[in-house]
Amino acid sequence: VQLQASGGGLVQPGGSLRLSCAASGSIIAINDMSWYRQAPGKQRELVARLTGGGITNYADSVQGRFTISRDNAKNTVYLQMNSLKPEDTAVYYCRMSIRRVGDVYVYIYWGQGTLVTVSS
């Protein structure tokens, strides 16, 4: 199983970006899908999470500005980021809990990270 994240880039304050992360491989089911971020010199933090049952959780710092969604048919999670601020600058990582063909247990997978830079 591999996760491929995309959509990062340079954007001005107040702008928008949409991140995508697609899982590929022998997948039976994907439970939680999440986005984390890590700014320079800081620990990785949870940005948004979407459970298999459709429950969402957001970090206080992005509540009302970011929206997480998923396309189960495409094994893909999205993060729509609006009203971006310089403090949103970070490498964004997707994370999924996946059950593979032939497995009983669920395993955690991470994407490679995509850089978001918010600057004028």
Side-chain angles (χ1 to χ4, degrees), residues 16 31 49 57 60 65 81:
S16 298
N31 296 339
R49 182 179 67 177
N57 298 101
D60 289 343
R65 299 188 297 122
M81 305 185 294

Side-chain angles (χ1 to χ4, degrees), residues 44-62:
R44 191 174 298 190
E45 62 174 356
L46 175 66
V47 175
R49 182 179 67 177
L50 176 55
T51 69
I55 297 173
T56 58
N57 298 101
Y58 294 95
D60 289 343
S61 59
V62 307

Side-chain angles (χ1 to χ4, degrees), residues 54-108:
I55 297 173
T56 58
N57 298 101
Y58 294 95
D60 289 343
S61 59
V62 307
Q63 182 77 43
R65 299 188 297 122
F66 291 10
T67 302
I68 187 170
S69 60
R70 61 194 286 169
D71 184 334
N72 291 326
K74 296 182 179 179
N75 291 334
T76 298
V77 62
Y78 304 98
L79 186 67
Q80 178 66 43
M81 305 185 294
N82 299 328
S83 303
L84 282 161
K85 304 175 181 180
E87 51 263 44
D88 294 318
T89 295
V91 177
Y92 284 71
Y93 298 89
C94 55
R95 176 187 183 272
M96 298 187 190
S97 54
I98 296 174
R99 188 159 72 91
R100 303 173 303 184
V101 173
D103 281 343
V104 175
Y105 299 106
V106 171
Y107 294 89
I108 302 299

Side-chain angles (χ1 to χ4, degrees), residues 30-46:
I30 302 177
N31 296 339
D32 289 6
M33 293 181 170
S34 305
W35 287 96
Y36 285 72
R37 68 185 180 187
Q38 187 167 18
K42 295 188 176 181
Q43 290 188 335
R44 191 174 298 190
E45 62 174 356
L46 175 66

Side-chain angles (χ1 to χ4, degrees), residues 10-31:
L10 174 64
V11 63
Q12 292 187 341
S16 298
L17 279 177
R18 189 193 195 205
L19 305 183
S20 300
C21 177
S24 60
S26 300
I27 297 169
I28 286 184
I30 302 177
N31 296 339

